[in-house]
Amino acid sequence: MDKASSHTSEDPEKVTHDSQSSRESPSPAPVVDPALDRRVWRKLDLFILPVVAIFYLLSFIDRSNIGNARVANLQKDLKMTNKQYSIALTVTYVPYIVAELPSNLLLKAVGPNLMLPTMLTLWGIVSTLQGVAHNYHALLVCRFFLGLFEGGVFPGLVLYLSLFYPRQQLQWRISAFFSAASISGAFSGLLAFGIINMDGIGGRPGWAWIFILEGLFTFLFGLASYFILPRSPAHTRFLNQKEKEYVIYKLKEDGATGKNESIDAFSWREVGMAFRLPQVWMLAIAFFFDGTILYGLAYFTPSIIQGLGFTASRAQLMSVPPFAAAFVVSMIGAYISDRYRCRGFLSIFSSILCIIGFGMFLGSTKHHIQYASLFFSITGTYLAAPTLSTWSANNATPYTRRATAIAIGFIMTNSGGILATWLLGSLSAAPRYILATRVLLAFSVLMAVFCAANTWYLWDQNKKKKVIRETSSIDKEEPGLGDLSAWFEYAL
């Protein structure tokens, strides 16, 4: 069965059956009903996506609002050097990276409906405590535990959505929640602009209130999410039995779930298999480059804009438009990627946007051109991240292999985040950030190269698989191959 060519989210009427689909799901396929198809995905979009988007919005705000607090005199009040500020950011990423793989492997066993809200609630508490930190060392402790509790969130959310949506419907949904990151860049700037006016209230500086108010909201939403996040399609209260069966059937048909529960269960063999997949490592390298760019801009955009001659409060406001543009472009890109199945080409295009942006910033000393460059670089990196995430989730199966592949990508992303904190924080002087811009420009080029290489590799593998399908039958194939099966077509 040629999944990617014969099963599409846009054309459910063309569902076909063969020996593999029969072997995966012995029960007959649900009667094709376009109205049922539309109703099921609409319900999931209405009940699942908003919650997931708010999760990631709060995650990104609570991790990156230290950049807004820095502009509002956090660094000055806590008597921190640039090096100490970079250390504070780095400390966040060490436990963050360590937590990602075990968190993803535990997600299904513990239950995402319990594990994700618990992480949200705990990091909300820690984020709030940053607002009462009186010195550098107290801030370091908070940043460590913030990273520990947040580490599994993004890979966990990607994995969680892959339990509900077929592969070719996944990027729009991942972009919908990841766009919360670009919204957070805009929203955080607006919030910070208003909150810093609370300077002095309760004896706390304005930057402290940024942490306290935003952290409290995260904590309260974490408590509420225990009651609204379903464990799996089979446990959704808003779907009737017919709708649940339809979702489960579509996931099996698409290859997004394993053939049976024993294959979908945890296996150390599948963890090891993920580490042996070439596409995982080509994307992991691209994840590293994009992570460096993404977190560099997330943490330092307010400081970069302030370096263009704007006041602290004005810099908060001026950071809004580039992130708003990134949100619009990422949603358009997600639609195109799902509709035309072009993850690789969209990843390359996003890299080109970054190249243009950093080239403009490096090549000009005019402030309006440097500011305009952010519209390209921020948009490029916020378009690349959900595309790479979807691409990674699409091309690894069964569940444990996919969970591991996703975690590897995000470990590399956050390793790039560590580099970003030093590149723009200590190794490259404001306001021009010449060394950092050169590195980020080079990373943008390399990201395009590795995305192109991965596209070619997957295309070549699909061509070889097609030959096998034409000369053999699925009954002769060894079971348990997952994405290595000739009947699993890689998403390009």
Side-chain angles (χ1 to χ4, degrees):
M1 175 174 58
D2 189 341
K3 292 182 177 65
S5 62
S6 60
H7 299 309
T8 73
S9 58
E10 292 78 25
D11 194 4
E13 292 87 348
K14 293 184 180 178
V15 173
T16 59
H17 308 290
D18 60 15
S19 58
Q20 185 184 21
S21 60
S22 299
R23 189 170 73 186
E24 289 178 357
S25 182
S27 59
V31 176
V32 174
D33 181 353
L36 172 64
D37 186 82
R38 289 192 297 270
R39 184 169 69 250
V40 163
W41 308 125
R42 184 169 61 246
K43 280 188 176 183
L44 289 175
D45 289 345
L46 288 174
F47 286 93
I48 299 290
L49 273 187
V51 179
V52 169
I54 293 174
F55 261 63
Y56 195 63
L57 171 68
L58 297 176
S59 165
F60 213 85
I61 285 179
D62 290 341
R63 192 164 6 114
S64 61
N65 60 8
I66 191 171
N68 301 103
R70 184 193 193 197
V71 171
N73 291 326
L74 161 74
Q75 187 171 337
K76 179 181 177 182
D77 288 353
L78 296 188
K79 299 178 175 60
M80 294 163 56
T81 65
N82 285 342
K83 181 179 179 181
Q84 287 176 320
Y85 179 76
S86 294
I87 291 173
L89 298 183
T90 303
V91 162
T92 308
Y93 283 105
V94 175
Y96 199 103
I97 290 168
V98 171
E100 286 181 303
L101 180 56
S103 174
N104 247 25
L105 295 178
L106 286 171
L107 190 73
K108 194 172 184 181
V110 175
N113 58 318
L114 297 176
M115 193 163 179
L116 291 172
T118 298
M119 289 191 289
L120 184 70
T121 304
L122 291 175
W123 94 60
I125 294 172
V126 174
S127 183
T128 304
L129 291 176
Q130 290 178 106
V132 297
H134 290 284
N135 55 53
Y136 166 63
H137 294 96
L139 182 66
L140 280 185
V141 173
C142 289
R143 297 304 294 183
F144 175 87
F145 283 101
L146 190 71
L148 182 65
F149 296 136
E150 268 196 62
V153 174
F154 195 1
L157 292 177
V158 172
L159 185 60
Y160 180 65
L161 288 184
S162 75
L163 300 176
F164 288 86
Y165 293 99
R167 290 189 299 157
Q168 296 302 334
Q169 295 192 43
L170 195 56
Q171 182 167 346
W172 192 90
R173 275 76 184 190
I174 289 178
S175 289
F177 92 75
F178 186 81
S179 64
S182 52
I183 291 175
S184 79
F187 191 54
S188 190
L190 288 172
L191 277 177
F193 176 74
I195 293 174
I196 58 176
N197 292 319
M198 296 177 64
D199 186 56
I201 295 179
R204 304 302 305 159
W207 60 262
W209 285 109
I210 293 175
F211 291 131
I212 293 169
L213 294 182
E214 293 176 359
L216 279 175
F217 183 83
T218 298
F219 169 72
L220 294 174
F221 189 80
L223 294 179
S225 63
Y226 281 107
F227 304 98
I228 56 181
L229 204 66
R231 181 184 182 107
S232 69
H235 295 85
T236 49
R237 291 189 295 270
F238 52 84
L239 295 179
N240 60 39
Q241 189 60 34
K242 183 179 179 181
E243 291 166 342
K244 292 176 184 178
E245 291 173 356
Y246 183 78
V247 173
I248 293 168
Y249 168 75
K250 294 297 287 185
L251 289 168
K252 286 185 176 293
E253 172 198 63
D254 180 70
T257 61
K259 296 175 184 176
N260 53 55
E261 188 59 32
S262 64
I263 292 176
D264 250 7
F266 175 79
S267 163
W268 282 113
R269 174 185 177 275
E270 292 300 337
V271 174
M273 285 296 296
F275 279 90
R276 292 163 56 186
L277 296 175
Q279 69 266 27
V280 167
W281 288 107
M282 281 186 279
L283 280 187
I285 295 170
F287 270 116
F288 174 77
F289 296 140
D290 187 54
T292 307
I293 299 167
L294 178 73
Y295 289 117
L297 292 173
Y299 284 128
F300 291 96
T301 290
S303 298
I304 291 169
I305 295 174
Q306 188 178 25
L308 301 180
F310 296 99
T311 63
S313 59
R314 183 70 174 171
Q316 308 282 16
L317 283 179
M318 292 295 285
S319 67
V320 174
F323 286 102
F327 166 71
V328 173
V329 174
S330 67
M331 294 311 297
I332 295 172
Y335 172 79
I336 293 172
S337 179
D338 279 346
R339 177 70 178 82
Y340 298 102
R341 304 177 184 187
C342 53
R343 315 283 193 227
F345 289 113
L346 196 65
S347 299
I348 295 168
F349 174 72
S350 63
S351 304
I352 292 171
L353 290 179
C354 291
I355 292 169
I356 294 171
F358 293 122
M360 288 172 62
F361 192 89
L362 188 63
S364 177
T365 56
K366 296 179 180 178
H367 287 175
H368 66 279
I369 292 179
Q370 290 178 321
Y371 178 68
S373 75
L374 296 175
F375 284 83
F376 289 93
S377 54
I378 290 175
T379 297
T381 192
Y382 280 81
L383 175 61
T387 308
L388 294 173
S389 303
T390 308
W391 209 9
S392 175
N394 280 173
N395 290 325
T397 196
Y399 173 83
T400 301
R401 197 182 304 179
R402 184 167 70 249
T404 307
I406 292 170
I408 290 171
F410 289 108
I411 287 170
M412 295 297 286
T413 298
N414 291 296
S415 297
I418 292 177
L419 176 58
T421 63
W422 290 94
L423 261 182
L424 289 97
S426 298
L427 301 178
S428 192
R432 291 284 287 138
Y433 299 104
I434 291 175
L435 174 62
T437 306
R438 286 174 176 168
V439 171
L440 296 180
L441 177 59
F443 280 10
S444 301
V445 173
L446 290 171
M447 182 164 64
V449 170
F450 277 90
C451 289
N454 192 53
T455 303
W456 178 86
Y457 171 76
L458 295 174
W459 172 81
D460 184 63
Q461 290 299 304
N462 282 344
K463 190 168 65 170
K464 293 176 180 177
K465 289 184 176 189
K466 184 178 180 182
V467 172
I468 296 174
R469 291 196 301 271
E470 291 172 347
T471 58
S472 184
S473 67
I474 192 170
D475 296 325
K476 296 178 181 178
E477 185 175 70
E478 177 186 348
L481 290 176
D483 54 82
L484 298 177
S485 166
W487 277 261
F488 183 97
E489 184 167 341
Y490 290 121
L492 301 181

